[in-house]
Amino acid sequence: MSAETPAVPGTDEHYLRVARRKFRAWRGTRPFWAGLFIMLGGLPIAYFPYAHLQIGHLTLAMATTAGAGSLIIGVLLVVLGISLWFQKHVRVFAGIAAILLGLVSIPVSNLGGFLIGFLLALIGGAMAVSWAPGEDEDAQSAQAGTTSEGSAPEGAADSDTTALKPVVGESNDLSGTSPANGANGRHSAG
């Protein structure tokens, strides 16, 4: 390889840099952060009812009678977070389900994992519902290629949404209440 040979991107890079770039591209095409918040919200909800805190020789057990319910809620939140990563088309369902499970975890699981899991599930669910997929670069370039110099700017109204112009010479009134025929609508009923 000589000094004049152009460097091809991706051939001389370290494999961690390439993996990081591929991960960032994958992450950008799906509601990654929403799934992460939902999964992180499920962990304290499922963990705290089964946790045993050791303070010196004193064991503090957080076990409740609804331990199974909180375990189910926590596992469901983790599954919803993973499904957001790999099936982005279920984002609205998963977001609403995460919000509802977070709300249900308040009475079931020690105030929703001491409000930590509840807040994370609510934030992640809201992020999942509000996430919208971006447009491909090919679609953006195709849209940019179709507009010409003489066409309307991007913010202008479309031809489909413009108001209809009145037809000159023809009556456009189907109700029979135009001022031209003397009926203004007050006495035309019945």
Side-chain angles (χ1 to χ4, degrees):
M1 185 178 227
S2 67
E4 289 86 24
T5 306
V8 178
T11 56
D12 294 337
E13 291 183 272
H14 195 264
Y15 70 94
L16 289 177
R17 238 183 231 166
V18 173
R20 181 173 179 244
R21 187 176 341 105
K22 286 181 181 179
F23 173 71
R24 289 181 73 183
W26 175 82
R27 186 183 73 193
T29 61
R30 59 202 71 246
F32 176 79
W33 293 108
L36 184 67
F37 274 90
I38 290 173
M39 280 191 288
L40 289 177
L43 294 178
I45 290 173
Y47 174 73
F48 284 138
Y50 295 102
H52 296 288
L53 183 63
Q54 295 282 341
I55 303 173
H57 294 292
L58 180 68
T59 301
L60 181 64
M62 301 284 187
T64 63
T65 57
S70 58
L71 181 66
I72 290 170
I73 290 172
V75 168
L76 283 175
L77 284 172
V78 170
V79 168
L80 286 172
I82 291 172
S83 70
L84 277 174
W85 282 0
F86 297 106
Q87 296 177 351
K88 60 186 173 185
H89 60 277
V90 298
R91 64 181 170 80
V92 175
F93 168 75
I96 291 172
I99 290 171
L100 291 176
L101 286 172
L103 289 171
V104 167
S105 73
I106 290 175
V108 171
S109 174
N110 295 332
L111 290 174
F114 298 117
L115 296 178
I116 298 168
F118 164 71
L119 289 175
L120 287 172
L122 243 56
I123 292 169
M127 289 171 67
V129 169
S130 66
W131 183 82
E135 291 186 14
D136 294 338
E137 291 178 11
D138 298 334
Q140 288 177 353
S141 64
Q143 284 181 350
T146 58
T147 59
S148 62
E149 251 182 65
S151 66
E154 219 172 278
D158 293 337
S159 61
D160 294 338
T161 60
T162 57
L164 294 175
K165 306 277 191 268
V167 178
V168 179
E170 289 184 28
S171 175
N172 196 9
D173 185 27
L174 298 177
S175 67
T177 60
S178 68
N181 64 3
N184 60 6
R186 291 185 194 166
H187 304 291
S188 63

